[in-house]
Amino acid sequence: MSLRTLRSLVAVAVATAVATTALVGPPVTAHEARQGGPRHHAPTLRQAAPPGFVIGSAVAGGGHHVDQPYPDPFPNDRVYRHLLGKEFSSVSPENQMKWEFIHPERDTYRFGPADAIVRFARQHHQVVRGHTLLWHNQNPSWLTEGDFTATELRQILRDHVFTVVGHYRGRIQQWDVANEMLDGSGQLRTTDNLWLRELGPGIIADVFRWAHRADPHAQLFFNDYGVEGVNAKSDGYLSLISDLLADGVPVDGFSVQGHLSTRYGFPDDLAANLQRFADLGLETAVTEVDVRMDLPGGAEPTGAQLAQQADYYQRMLEGCLAVDTCRSFTVWGFTDKYSWVPVFFPDEGAATIMTGDFERKPAYYALRSTLADAT
Ligand code: XIL
């Protein structure tokens, strides 16, 4: 191609771009950019959200994804990335900050994938929820099979907390410091949780104190499933956290995961439950919402199933919006393409707000109009 042809092609391209800009209206303002784009069309979720309220998604990668027949989602799926940046104002690494992922060998930390998420968040004006530091699951085998003494384990945990929390100091809005500490009857998991078993319950206070020293501005949370309503487990948290606060332990928040199923009734006392934690002076949050449904043999969702799902999403969001200190609502993935549900719950699925082809489901629209109504 001659230089001249190239020049005229460039000229045409520039003219087209100018014309297109003129057609769709004025350039994007700084405010609009912060919101994720111009507001000529239907708003995105983050645009619809009331001021100060963040709407988040887990960022797919690690965990179950490793065995799936697709490339690592977050770095490779452009449509996914585009929607993640546009629709959400908060992100949670789905697995990339868990022990087995970020600390795969005793002397090796692998920060790259989580760093990429934190960078993405910064570029898209999103906050980050860190997940997680103290948990019974997804610990590396060097740790669980290491036969360490209590003194060694405590030192390993302390180093991990200072290293990981310190690495992201100033970049994390909320840390799920302690994940799933209690069993269904509200007792500490002292058998299946390595840390509680080997180090005793006092380790919880230590981890909150270490995390606070490593990043004094991050809000430090307890996070669990099955605690959406008032029940033995959430009662257990209320007394555990009250005791810790009385001892001056820096606990800032209590969050409910929100993994629901259309099989069961909706936890109607969600707002009342969150409110009793807010009354302790805590931040609250909903951190991992999905609503799975029965799809035997890979059946397609029916209209009735999608409507019930939308209703559950909406009521979760309404429950959070009803409580002053609940300012963060996160879905555990936004597309069925990458959901953990079919992998962990055979014959269940379609749990997120968009289909595998990124088509918005009734649940998406229910969230958006609920956000808009609250604004
Ligand atoms: C899940 C991830 O989505 C999967 O990819 C992984 O294989 C297993 O863990 N509660 C939590 C999350 O706190 O970390 C879990 O995430 C879902 C249940």
Side-chain angles (χ1 to χ4, degrees):
M1 188 190 299
S2 74
L3 194 59
R4 217 167 123 180
T5 330
L6 184 65
R7 272 208 200 103
S8 51
L9 277 178
V10 170
V12 170
V14 169
T16 316
V18 170
T20 316
T21 312
L23 271 181
V24 298
V28 179
T29 65
H31 173 72
E32 287 166 344
R34 212 167 34 246
Q35 298 283 309
R39 300 199 55 162
H40 305 295
H41 305 291
T44 64
L45 295 175
R46 69 186 292 181
Q47 287 170 338
F53 189 89
V54 297
I55 177 104
S57 174
V59 179
H64 77 279
H65 301 284
V66 171
D67 303 318
Q68 298 302 305
Y70 47 66
D72 193 10
F74 173 70
N76 293 297
D77 188 331
R78 293 188 55 195
V79 179
Y80 178 85
R81 288 174 74 88
H82 175 72
L83 289 168
L84 182 68
K86 187 169 100 152
E87 293 285 350
F88 300 98
S89 46
S90 176
V91 288
S92 306
E94 184 178 1
N95 294 289
Q96 300 90 335
M97 289 185 182
K98 290 174 182 172
W99 271 78
E100 70 171 6
F101 199 93
I102 207 165
H103 198 166
E105 302 294 339
R106 186 170 180 180
D107 299 316
T108 308
Y109 286 90
R110 176 174 42 167
F111 287 120
D115 285 358
I117 295 171
V118 171
R119 226 173 14 246
F120 179 93
R122 184 175 244 191
Q123 284 159 358
H124 293 83
H125 307 281
Q126 295 165 319
V127 295
V128 182
R129 295 196 85 262
H131 179 80
T132 177
L133 301 169
L134 192 67
W135 192 26
H136 63 282
N137 267 333
Q138 290 186 267
N139 290 316
S141 51
W142 69 262
L143 176 69
T144 54
E145 286 156 27
D147 231 358
F148 297 110
T149 65
T151 313
E152 286 168 331
L153 269 182
R154 193 181 142 83
Q155 192 57 39
I156 288 169
L157 178 56
R158 188 180 186 282
D159 285 347
H160 179 92
V161 171
F162 275 100
T163 304
V164 175
V165 178
H167 184 82
Y168 295 109
R169 184 185 177 106
R171 310 280 181 92
I172 303 286
Q173 183 202 29
Q174 301 183 339
W175 257 112
D176 289 332
V177 170
N179 198 32
E180 305 177 354
M181 290 293 104
L182 302 187
D183 65 20
S185 55
Q187 303 299 308
L188 285 167
R189 287 182 181 256
T190 44
T191 39
D192 67 354
N193 185 307
L194 159 85
W195 307 112
L196 297 177
R197 185 179 65 232
E198 304 298 328
L199 302 176
I203 195 62
I204 298 175
D206 291 335
V207 173
F208 275 89
R209 290 195 170 104
W210 294 333
H212 182 64
R213 279 169 57 195
D215 187 351
H217 295 297
Q219 297 167 356
L220 308 182
F221 274 70
F222 278 93
N223 185 56
D224 212 326
Y225 65 89
V227 288
E228 290 73 26
V230 174
N231 55 35
K233 195 170 176 180
S234 57
D235 285 351
Y237 274 105
L238 197 68
S239 77
L240 172 64
I241 298 176
S242 302
D243 290 349
L244 291 169
L245 291 174
D247 288 345
V249 180
V251 179
D252 300 300
F254 172 74
S255 50
V256 304
Q257 293 179 2
H259 294 291
L260 302 185
S261 159
T262 58
R263 264 187 211 178
Y264 311 111
F266 182 83
D268 273 317
D269 49 359
L270 170 65
N273 184 42
L274 292 177
Q275 188 59 52
R276 59 191 189 142
F277 290 90
D279 291 343
L280 294 180
L282 296 175
E283 284 292 309
T284 56
V286 179
T287 55
E288 304 184 15
V289 185
D290 51 22
V291 182
R292 58 190 189 272
M293 55 185 76
D294 288 293
L295 299 172
E300 287 296 311
T302 65
Q305 281 178 309
L306 292 173
Q308 188 185 353
Q309 176 183 60
D311 179 57
Y312 278 28
Y313 268 97
Q314 172 165 347
R315 286 153 80 185
M316 284 296 281
L317 178 56
E318 285 169 348
C320 178
L321 286 165
V323 177
D324 270 358
T325 74
C326 192
R327 299 176 250 245
S328 172
F329 182 93
T330 293
V331 295
W332 205 240
F334 64 88
T335 166
D336 291 340
K337 189 173 182 181
Y338 298 129
S339 170
W340 74 306
V341 166
V343 178
F344 280 79
F345 302 88
D347 284 331
E348 294 180 73
T352 78
I353 59 176
M354 291 187 199
T355 67
D357 297 329
F358 302 105
E359 273 168 41
R360 291 164 171 81
K361 298 188 202 171
Y364 172 91
Y365 295 106
L367 289 185
R368 197 175 66 188
S369 59
T370 303
L371 289 167
D373 289 348
T375 303

